Amino acid sequence: MKMGQTQKKSKVALLSFGIMAALSLPAYAEEEPYQFSEVVVTATRTKQNVKDIPASVEVITRQDIETMGADSVVAALKLAMNLNLSEAGMTGNQVSLRGMNTNQSLILIDGRRMAGEDTGSTMNYYELNRININNVERIEIVRGPVSSLYGSDALGGVINIIMRKSEKPQTTVGLSNSSKQQNASFRFDLGKEGKWSWVVDTLFTDIKERARTDSTNMYGPRQFYNISGTYDMSAGKNLDVFYERMSEHLKSGFTDGSRDYYTNTRNSYGINYRGINSRGNYELRAYFNQLEKNNDTLLESGTYSDFDRAKYKTWVVDGKNTVKLDDEHVLTFGGEYRSSEYRGTRLEDNGDHASTIIEHGISKSISEKEIKYQAAYVQDEWAVNSKLLIIPSLRYDNSNKFGDDFSPKIGMTYKMDNNYRFKANLGKGFKAPSVSELYMKMTHRPIPNMTVIVAGNPDLKPEKSTNYDISFEGERGNDFGKLTYFYNDVTDLIGTNDTMSYIPGTGVVYNSKYINIDKAKIRGIELEAGRHLNDKFTLKSAYNYLDAEDSKTHERLSSRAKNRYSLQLHYDDIQNTGISGILWHEWVRDYRYVETDYNYNTLNFVINKKWNDKYDSYFGIDNILDKKIDALILEGRLWRFGMSITI
């Protein structure tokens, strides 16, 4: 599909807007920098204090990651509020915020989108395990639609993983082992030499094989290489560069003797120009990343039955500017141009850059599709008075495949006094159809007597949502708490129309086609409460109630728990050579999976010891009571331990 002249002009205008947004205030660079609030969060694209932001925000710090003894990003997120990370068969983990589908949460690294799988059954399932936990500074979670700032895919919320920067010259070595994997990490912080500061970070992971009812998990080695540098151009002006590489050589086995092999590589690199001045800050960024996937299926007989090849590419140029207009208004505006490309063997062959490849004696067509996006957004942080903050925002998105979309949102924080706050948000979100959902044409033979055919649909419409939430939060003395009610009405959900037939000589043929069919209502309650028992112990509790149903059939949506409750005891003796740890018990009730409700509870603990200012270690056990549910991949007791030393 070719873009018309109007669309071309729109693209140029939007891209120009983004560049001007990033560069419009350099004249003030010599003045005293304007100081924003203390905590950086993803909710407003600006520095803000979490208590002031209307959106529901959670920050997991580097200290939290170390206290948890987290050997992966998934492990670091175990105590995150209303985030479902249940294992999904042999593939990976769901990433479901507030009961939304896994592909409706936007995962970012330093605010960047990553190229990856893009179907409803694969998007985000692998992403959190493809991030170097050793290089993570903090994780910012925003629950609820954030399409007004980030565009497509942010229906459920955003998980923004912020990477570590150079601190001071030092080398850190880490080793860990667990029931699931073993890690070796090396971090070389070169500090600042002249105007440059550099960090080199590597992580080598070996995922262990674990047997399941009819298959194994994906297991094998995974490696990470991260290089980042910052150049101080002048006072208040910096240039950031980075290169990241992830490679994995995984395999999985089945009870029929067949085996799948996965050889995947992702490369990411980019450059970011940023500055700060008396009126605010600005940045202009360009980056690229590519995920190359190779999948081969080998039968017990030693012959290959199938293979697939895929390359996902993402190109992005974006810019933003934050300006303090006066004592009442902080304006943020920016723009983005993005190209999403997919070349692979699971796309329809219509002659568009198509060719034929032959491997293992099997012939397949391989073709390429591309979707181009452009966007502009604006946000105003309006401090009406000392008690009331109102943040309206609006984003315009345009694509050569789904046309125009406007995503408005308004949030409010009202401070009743210094201890109590009322917050409310109302907004719209959307998720554009992916390349696979539009153009997939997959024929796969997972076993000799079955053929699976999945077809895309170029007439798909974007998924849309309308959301509101209200919350009351506060703290007094040693007590703190927060109560939130949220409601999400989702239309035009992208699902599949599935049929099954039997063809003599071929076997079972399973046909699936993407269509806009589903509507859903998702509402719930989030309750957090706690008390600082003394300067070392903190008792916390969290409760999530979720009512998620298909609006047409009124059936509960699968892979979601209606009730989830946790009780947590945190300890930290706040000593340079001290001990910290967490003991928590989680109860899950009415977890719906394939029309069956499951109930279970897990008891977990982790303890972290700092032996001196250079050496620390940890030990933890998840699911101490050894609960097992095969259908939910609840595998029983899991242990982990590790150490790190800095020289």
Side-chain angles (χ1 to χ4, degrees), residues 114-149:
M114 303 304 293
E117 295 83 358
D118 62 350
T119 70
S121 59
T122 59
M123 184 174 176
N124 289 339
Y125 276 55
Y126 311 92
E127 283 309 300
L128 295 180
N129 289 312
R130 288 177 175 160
I131 298 169
N132 180 357
I133 184 63
N134 188 56
N135 200 36
V136 175
E137 174 63 28
R138 68 184 185 280
I139 304 172
E140 300 175 354
I141 306 169
V142 183
R143 295 187 294 272
V146 204
S147 292
S148 62
L149 292 178

Side-chain angles (χ1 to χ4, degrees), residues 155-324:
L155 286 174
V158 172
I159 300 175
N160 192 9
I161 299 166
I162 311 298
M163 308 308 271
R164 299 166 71 180
K165 303 297 184 184
S166 177
E167 299 172 358
K168 59 183 179 181
Q170 61 185 17
T171 299
T172 303
V173 179
L175 298 172
S176 67
N177 201 350
S178 72
S179 301
K180 291 188 174 183
Q181 64 186 42
Q182 53 189 10
N183 295 335
S185 63
F186 305 89
R187 180 178 177 83
F188 306 97
D189 194 332
L190 305 180
K192 190 171 182 180
E193 296 184 4
K195 292 192 173 185
W196 278 104
S197 56
W198 291 95
V199 170
V200 179
D201 200 306
T202 62
L203 174 65
F204 303 99
T205 295
D206 186 19
I207 305 165
K208 299 179 180 180
E209 180 180 9
R210 305 191 307 280
R212 294 174 177 172
T213 304
D214 58 354
S215 65
T216 70
N217 63 306
M218 290 181 179
Y219 65 95
R222 179 184 285 137
Q223 300 92 31
F224 301 89
Y225 305 90
N226 302 79
I227 302 173
S228 62
T230 297
Y231 180 75
D232 293 337
M233 303 177 67
S234 61
K237 294 182 181 180
N238 301 97
L239 191 68
D240 303 315
V241 295
F242 72 90
Y243 171 71
E244 299 168 353
R245 178 179 175 85
M246 182 281 306
S247 63
E248 50 192 9
H249 301 270
L250 309 179
K251 54 187 174 182
S252 61
F254 302 88
T255 52
D256 63 3
S258 63
R259 191 171 296 276
D260 270 329
Y261 293 87
Y262 310 89
T263 303
N264 307 324
T265 304
R266 179 154 65 194
N267 290 285
S268 307
Y269 49 86
I271 186 170
N272 181 36
Y273 169 70
R274 56 187 170 88
I276 186 169
N277 52 58
S278 62
R279 300 283 299 277
N281 56 48
Y282 52 91
E283 69 176 43
L284 177 64
R285 179 175 60 179
Y287 63 90
F288 167 79
N289 58 75
Q290 173 183 283
L291 173 66
E292 181 175 355
K293 296 191 61 176
N294 298 284
N295 173 216
D296 300 88
T297 302
L298 181 67
L299 300 178
E300 186 179 24
S301 62
T303 60
Y304 287 91
S305 65
D306 201 1
F307 76 91
D308 279 296
R309 303 290 179 258
K311 286 185 180 180
Y312 302 87
K313 299 179 182 179
T314 297
W315 295 87
V316 180
V317 176
D318 61 15
K320 78 175 183 70
N321 200 334
T322 296
V323 186
K324 186 177 187 295

